[in-house]
Amino acid sequence: MTETTVPANLRDWAVAWPQYTPLDATPPELKPQALAREVPSWTEAAATPDSVTDWAQRQKDALVPFRLDHRGWPLHPQGRTGKCGRNLGKWGENAAADPIVIGGSGPDRQILLITRDDICQEAIPGGMVDPGEAAPAALVRELHEETGVDLSTHQPLILGQDLVDDWRQTDQAWVVSTSALYVLPATVTATAADDALNATWYPAGSMAALETAITDAGRTLYPAHRPLIARALSRLSQ
């Protein structure tokens, strides 16, 4: 079975589509029988949204508003995705933190990216916000875990809180990222760790220069992070 293609005119939940049959993207370890035996440390135990008891609180805390369907199940804020189930830690919104680190200035500036071990693409060294953790703390923690760079004494510029086109998203679970910009006088030593295969400084005088450098290195920029990086570089060019 392949992922259902969602035409633009049918993505909105308000548009009826009786034939819609999304692909179940739930991995084996998050299936009900597997969760009954063992709950992975990175995920909640609820096998379906029916088992979640705090939807009102989750909706109140959401960075991007969302609603529930007639079953009481969460609906992706941007509409149908072509996938159902869950391949993320929580049903509904999953908060992430993405620190965009720039070294240098002007046309000579560089950006710190990692090679993700799940999709082997170049990405911002970020990750999920832990339960009870604030986004600013998650920005510092994720950066340090994945690159060894400690910016705990730096004050970042929060750029936004955005839905990102994460490859794991479904109709019932999605990612909202808090992205922040850190600007350093020059690049610093970065060493890949945790779920990063590599940590690399790339030329970032412009978005075109960055994408050319990544392509020349035989790598690919993670599409979900492109808008976040483009916004950061645009901000620096103002």
Side-chain angles (χ1 to χ4, degrees):
M1 182 177 180
T2 57
E3 180 179 335
T4 300
T5 299
V6 181
N9 65 319
L10 293 176
R11 186 160 195 188
D12 193 321
W13 293 111
V15 178
W17 187 7
Q19 297 80 22
Y20 181 51
T21 52
L23 169 72
D24 186 353
T26 308
E29 63 269 26
L30 296 186
K31 296 286 189 180
Q33 289 185 336
L35 288 174
R37 295 191 301 269
E38 180 182 5
V39 179
S41 61
W42 54 272
T43 186
E44 66 180 348
T48 71
D50 292 328
S51 302
V52 175
T53 60
D54 63 342
W55 280 121
Q57 188 63 48
R58 294 191 189 198
Q59 288 180 291
K60 180 180 178 181
D61 294 340
L63 300 175
V64 175
F66 68 93
R67 63 186 181 90
L68 307 178
D69 66 12
H70 65 281
R71 301 168 296 177
W73 288 28
L75 292 175
H76 193 294
Q78 289 184 335
R80 298 179 176 96
T81 65
K83 296 183 291 184
C84 62
R86 174 169 66 105
N87 192 13
L88 289 162
K90 294 174 58 180
W91 294 101
E93 182 177 287
N94 289 258
D98 288 308
I100 300 170
V101 182
I102 300 293
S105 61
D108 296 324
R109 68 187 176 217
Q110 298 185 59
I111 186 171
L112 178 58
L113 300 178
I114 62 162
T115 307
R116 288 176 51 150
D117 66 357
D118 54 355
I119 53 176
C120 295
Q121 294 181 342
E122 304 305 279
I124 299 166
M128 295 301 173
V129 178
D130 288 340
E133 184 181 37
L139 289 164
V140 171
R141 175 183 56 77
E142 284 288 344
L143 178 65
H144 188 260
E145 287 178 354
E146 296 190 348
T147 69
V149 175
D150 183 2
L151 295 185
S152 57
T153 61
H154 291 66
Q155 184 65 38
L157 172 64
I158 302 298
L159 296 174
Q161 295 172 321
D162 309 279
L163 276 160
V164 293
D165 193 19
D166 191 279
W167 67 276
R168 297 160 294 183
Q169 71 179 350
T170 68
D171 291 349
Q172 289 83 40
W174 55 90
V175 177
V176 175
S177 169
T178 296
S179 60
L181 176 63
Y182 292 85
V183 180
L184 307 180
T187 61
V188 295
T189 300
T191 304
D194 196 30
D195 54 2
L197 298 177
N198 293 289
T200 308
W201 288 96
Y202 285 100
S206 67
M207 199 66 204
L210 171 61
E211 293 183 311
T212 296
I214 290 175
T215 299
D216 289 347
R219 298 177 180 177
T220 303
L221 179 62
Y222 181 36
H225 284 175
R226 190 187 189 283
L228 305 182
I229 296 171
R231 179 172 58 193
L233 297 185
S234 176
R235 185 64 177 261
L236 288 171
S237 298
Q238 292 177 357

